[in-house]
mmCIF file of all heavy atoms in Angstrom:
data_model
loop_
_atom_site.group_PDB
_atom_site.id
_atom_site.type_symbol
_atom_site.label_atom_id
_atom_site.label_comp_id
_atom_site.label_asym_id
_atom_site.label_seq_id
_atom_site.Cartn_x
_atom_site.Cartn_y
_atom_site.Cartn_z
ATOM 1 N N GLU A 485 111.467 73.362 106.893
ATOM 2 C CA GLU A 485 112.818 73.153 106.369
ATOM 3 C C GLU A 485 113.497 71.928 106.963
ATOM 4 O O GLU A 485 114.646 71.635 106.642
ATOM 5 C CB GLU A 485 113.656 74.400 106.607
ATOM 6 C CG GLU A 485 113.177 75.513 105.706
ATOM 7 C CD GLU A 485 113.881 76.826 105.962
ATOM 8 O OE1 GLU A 485 113.578 77.480 106.976
ATOM 9 O OE2 GLU A 485 114.727 77.195 105.135
ATOM 10 N N ALA A 486 112.776 71.223 107.821
ATOM 11 C CA ALA A 486 113.375 70.057 108.486
ATOM 12 C C ALA A 486 113.827 69.024 107.456
ATOM 13 O O ALA A 486 114.870 68.399 107.602
ATOM 14 C CB ALA A 486 112.386 69.439 109.459
ATOM 15 N N GLY A 487 113.033 68.866 106.389
ATOM 16 C CA GLY A 487 113.372 67.851 105.388
ATOM 17 C C GLY A 487 114.165 68.409 104.229
ATOM 18 O O GLY A 487 114.240 67.800 103.173
ATOM 19 N N GLY A 488 114.740 69.601 104.378
ATOM 20 C CA GLY A 488 115.506 70.193 103.284
ATOM 21 C C GLY A 488 114.777 71.394 102.719
ATOM 22 O O GLY A 488 114.517 72.349 103.432
ATOM 23 N N ASP A 489 114.420 71.331 101.438
ATOM 24 C CA ASP A 489 113.808 72.473 100.763
ATOM 25 C C ASP A 489 112.350 72.654 101.197
ATOM 26 O O ASP A 489 111.529 71.742 101.053
ATOM 27 C CB ASP A 489 113.883 72.237 99.246
ATOM 28 C CG ASP A 489 113.391 73.440 98.463
ATOM 29 O OD1 ASP A 489 113.001 74.445 99.102
ATOM 30 O OD2 ASP A 489 113.386 73.361 97.227
ATOM 31 N N TYR A 490 112.055 73.843 101.686
ATOM 32 C CA TYR A 490 110.674 74.104 102.155
ATOM 33 C C TYR A 490 109.646 74.025 101.029
ATOM 34 O O TYR A 490 108.464 73.797 101.274
ATOM 35 C CB TYR A 490 110.593 75.449 102.885
ATOM 36 C CG TYR A 490 111.020 76.648 102.054
ATOM 37 C CD1 TYR A 490 110.078 77.405 101.354
ATOM 38 C CD2 TYR A 490 112.350 77.029 101.975
ATOM 39 C CE1 TYR A 490 110.472 78.501 100.593
ATOM 40 C CE2 TYR A 490 112.754 78.116 101.225
ATOM 41 C CZ TYR A 490 111.811 78.842 100.535
ATOM 42 O OH TYR A 490 112.200 79.921 99.787
ATOM 43 N N MET A 491 110.106 74.194 99.778
ATOM 44 C CA MET A 491 109.157 74.141 98.658
ATOM 45 C C MET A 491 108.551 72.740 98.500
ATOM 46 O O MET A 491 107.496 72.583 97.895
ATOM 47 C CB MET A 491 109.834 74.567 97.354
ATOM 48 C CG MET A 491 110.277 76.015 97.332
ATOM 49 S SD MET A 491 108.933 77.202 97.538
ATOM 50 C CE MET A 491 108.527 77.529 95.835
ATOM 51 N N THR A 492 109.245 71.732 99.015
ATOM 52 C CA THR A 492 108.715 70.370 98.904
ATOM 53 C C THR A 492 107.731 70.065 100.033
ATOM 54 O O THR A 492 107.136 69.001 100.067
ATOM 55 C CB THR A 492 109.847 69.322 98.954
ATOM 56 O OG1 THR A 492 110.510 69.450 100.228
ATOM 57 C CG2 THR A 492 110.858 69.543 97.853
ATOM 58 N N ASP A 493 107.580 70.997 100.963
ATOM 59 C CA ASP A 493 106.702 70.762 102.110
ATOM 60 C C ASP A 493 105.379 71.519 101.974
ATOM 61 O O ASP A 493 104.574 71.572 102.903
ATOM 62 C CB ASP A 493 107.429 71.183 103.397
ATOM 63 C CG ASP A 493 106.666 70.774 104.644
ATOM 64 O OD1 ASP A 493 106.249 69.600 104.711
ATOM 65 O OD2 ASP A 493 106.465 71.624 105.534
ATOM 66 N N LEU A 494 105.152 72.131 100.800
ATOM 67 C CA LEU A 494 103.921 72.914 100.623
ATOM 68 C C LEU A 494 102.685 72.044 100.829
ATOM 69 O O LEU A 494 102.649 70.880 100.423
ATOM 70 C CB LEU A 494 103.891 73.526 99.217
ATOM 71 C CG LEU A 494 104.841 74.706 99.023
ATOM 72 C CD1 LEU A 494 105.042 74.979 97.543
ATOM 73 C CD2 LEU A 494 104.303 75.941 99.743
ATOM 74 N N ASN A 495 101.679 72.617 101.473
ATOM 75 C CA ASN A 495 100.425 71.911 101.716
ATOM 76 C C ASN A 495 99.524 72.078 100.490
ATOM 77 O O ASN A 495 99.103 73.191 100.179
ATOM 78 C CB ASN A 495 99.764 72.524 102.966
ATOM 79 C CG ASN A 495 98.396 71.942 103.237
ATOM 80 O OD1 ASN A 495 97.972 71.001 102.572
ATOM 81 N ND2 ASN A 495 97.706 72.518 104.221
ATOM 82 N N PRO A 496 99.235 70.992 99.764
ATOM 83 C CA PRO A 496 98.434 71.134 98.539
ATOM 84 C C PRO A 496 97.003 71.602 98.835
ATOM 85 O O PRO A 496 96.315 72.089 97.940
ATOM 86 C CB PRO A 496 98.442 69.723 97.937
ATOM 87 C CG PRO A 496 98.784 68.812 99.067
ATOM 88 C CD PRO A 496 99.617 69.590 100.039
ATOM 89 N N ASP A 497 96.571 71.464 100.077
ATOM 90 C CA ASP A 497 95.190 71.849 100.424
ATOM 91 C C ASP A 497 95.144 73.141 101.237
ATOM 92 O O ASP A 497 94.245 73.319 102.060
ATOM 93 C CB ASP A 497 94.530 70.721 101.220
ATOM 94 C CG ASP A 497 94.532 69.412 100.445
ATOM 95 O OD1 ASP A 497 94.256 69.454 99.241
ATOM 96 O OD2 ASP A 497 94.835 68.372 101.051
ATOM 97 N N SER A 498 96.094 74.032 101.006
ATOM 98 C CA SER A 498 96.121 75.241 101.836
ATOM 99 C C SER A 498 95.036 76.242 101.443
ATOM 100 O O SER A 498 94.749 77.157 102.196
ATOM 101 C CB SER A 498 97.497 75.897 101.774
ATOM 102 O OG SER A 498 97.812 76.249 100.447
ATOM 103 N N LEU A 499 94.454 76.074 100.266
ATOM 104 C CA LEU A 499 93.368 76.982 99.858
ATOM 105 C C LEU A 499 92.201 76.177 99.313
ATOM 106 O O LEU A 499 92.356 75.363 98.405
ATOM 107 C CB LEU A 499 93.872 77.943 98.765
ATOM 108 C CG LEU A 499 92.790 78.762 98.042
ATOM 109 C CD1 LEU A 499 92.056 79.696 99.006
ATOM 110 C CD2 LEU A 499 93.398 79.570 96.906
ATOM 111 N N GLU A 500 91.027 76.416 99.893
ATOM 112 C CA GLU A 500 89.812 75.800 99.370
ATOM 113 C C GLU A 500 88.857 76.934 99.008
ATOM 114 O O GLU A 500 88.553 77.781 99.845
ATOM 115 C CB GLU A 500 89.184 74.897 100.443
ATOM 116 C CG GLU A 500 87.983 74.129 99.940
ATOM 117 C CD GLU A 500 87.202 73.443 101.068
ATOM 118 O OE1 GLU A 500 87.674 73.461 102.225
ATOM 119 O OE2 GLU A 500 86.113 72.923 100.785
ATOM 120 N N VAL A 501 88.437 76.950 97.747
ATOM 121 C CA VAL A 501 87.528 78.003 97.302
ATOM 122 C C VAL A 501 86.115 77.437 97.273
ATOM 123 O O VAL A 501 85.840 76.472 96.560
ATOM 124 C CB VAL A 501 87.922 78.515 95.900
ATOM 125 C CG1 VAL A 501 86.916 79.554 95.413
ATOM 126 C CG2 VAL A 501 89.324 79.102 95.931
ATOM 127 N N LYS A 502 85.237 78.034 98.050
ATOM 128 C CA LYS A 502 83.857 77.574 98.088
ATOM 129 C C LYS A 502 82.994 78.598 97.351
ATOM 130 O O LYS A 502 82.866 79.742 97.783
ATOM 131 C CB LYS A 502 83.364 77.454 99.533
ATOM 132 C CG LYS A 502 83.977 76.282 100.291
ATOM 133 C CD LYS A 502 83.496 76.321 101.738
ATOM 134 C CE LYS A 502 83.925 75.084 102.503
ATOM 135 N NZ LYS A 502 83.177 73.882 102.102
ATOM 136 N N ALA A 503 82.424 78.176 96.238
ATOM 137 C CA ALA A 503 81.563 79.082 95.471
ATOM 138 C C ALA A 503 80.118 78.853 95.888
ATOM 139 O O ALA A 503 79.791 77.810 96.457
ATOM 140 C CB ALA A 503 81.731 78.807 93.984
#
Side-chain angles (χ1 to χ4, degrees):
E485 290 175 285
D489 186 0
Y490 59 94
M491 295 300 267
T492 61
D493 189 48
L494 286 164
N495 175 6
D497 302 318
S498 60
L499 168 63
E500 185 191 353
V501 177
K502 288 176 173 288

